[in-house]
Amino acid sequence: TLSAAELSFYGDGRTYLAPDAYGVEVWQGNRWVAVKGLQDAVSHPLANGVNKAAWLPVTASRLRVLFHVHPGSTMRLVELKVF
């Protein structure tokens, strides 16, 4: 059962920036589905810190994170922990 994640992004203020937003999806049956109850913190992730996301508990065999990267920038995910 999964209900939270911590994501860390590297940022240098020029080339590498945290994404504008991100979403979390899980594999349900034969398709990807957005987790329910994802908190608003994913709308403004921070670079060089820990971003915490929480959602309603779900059992799944796969999880993915979708990033909305600012045009012209590069994103570097340093660490992802799922709980």
Side-chain angles (χ1 to χ4, degrees):
T1 302
L2 306 172
S3 62
E6 293 180 355
L7 299 90
S8 299
F9 304 99
Y10 169 75
D12 64 4
R14 296 182 313 264
T15 304
Y16 296 100
L17 302 174
D20 292 335
Y22 62 89
V24 178
E25 295 182 346
V26 292
W27 187 255
Q28 296 281 304
N30 62 352
R31 64 187 178 105
W32 290 102
V33 178
V35 295
K36 296 182 193 261
L38 188 61
Q39 63 185 189
D40 293 334
V42 300
S43 298
H44 303 291
L46 301 172
N48 304 320
V50 177
N51 296 272
K52 296 182 179 185
W55 56 86
L56 296 175
V58 62
T59 300
S61 61
R62 298 176 224 171
L63 176 137
R64 72 178 180 181
V65 181
L66 304 173
F67 300 101
H68 303 279
V69 180
H70 185 76
S73 69
T74 303
M75 183 205 77
R76 181 177 284 175
L77 177 65
V78 177
E79 185 172 38
L80 170 63
K81 296 179 182 177
V82 181
F83 311 95

